[in-house]
Amino acid sequence: GIEFIDSYVFNKAEYIRFNSTVGRYVGYTEHGVKNAEAWNSDAGFLGQEQATLERFCKTNAAIDYSNILDKT
């Protein structure tokens, strides 16, 4: 399967991440945890991440997989 991860970094430290396997945001700092709680309760935010997974990741994965099979 495909796993899409969208990380948010500030001063070289990851503070929040969306993981498509989990299906929600996870915070890694106090600020990140607060944002994760807010973003997880916002259907629009979650919908944007799911749309990116469908539109970009799955489409490109299918193309890449096809290219690999063509070369073998």
Side-chain angles (χ1 to χ4, degrees):
I2 295 173
E3 182 177 52
F4 170 59
I5 295 175
D6 191 5
S7 296
Y8 295 78
V9 177
F10 181 73
N11 284 341
K12 299 181 182 179
E14 182 179 29
Y15 68 95
I16 191 170
R17 173 191 295 182
F18 175 82
N19 182 320
S20 65
T21 302
V22 178
R24 52 192 231 94
Y25 293 93
V26 177
Y28 296 100
T29 65
E30 184 179 350
H31 179 69
V33 169
K34 288 179 182 178
N35 279 335
E37 290 173 2
W39 296 358
N40 286 330
S41 66
D42 185 329
F45 257 82
L46 290 175
Q48 287 177 339
E49 297 287 12
Q50 292 294 345
T52 300
L53 173 66
E54 294 296 326
R55 183 183 73 248
F56 181 78
C57 299
K58 289 187 177 180
T59 299
N60 285 317
I63 292 168
D64 292 343
Y65 185 68
S66 176
N67 288 337
I68 290 168
L69 290 179
D70 289 346
K71 292 178 181 177
T72 57

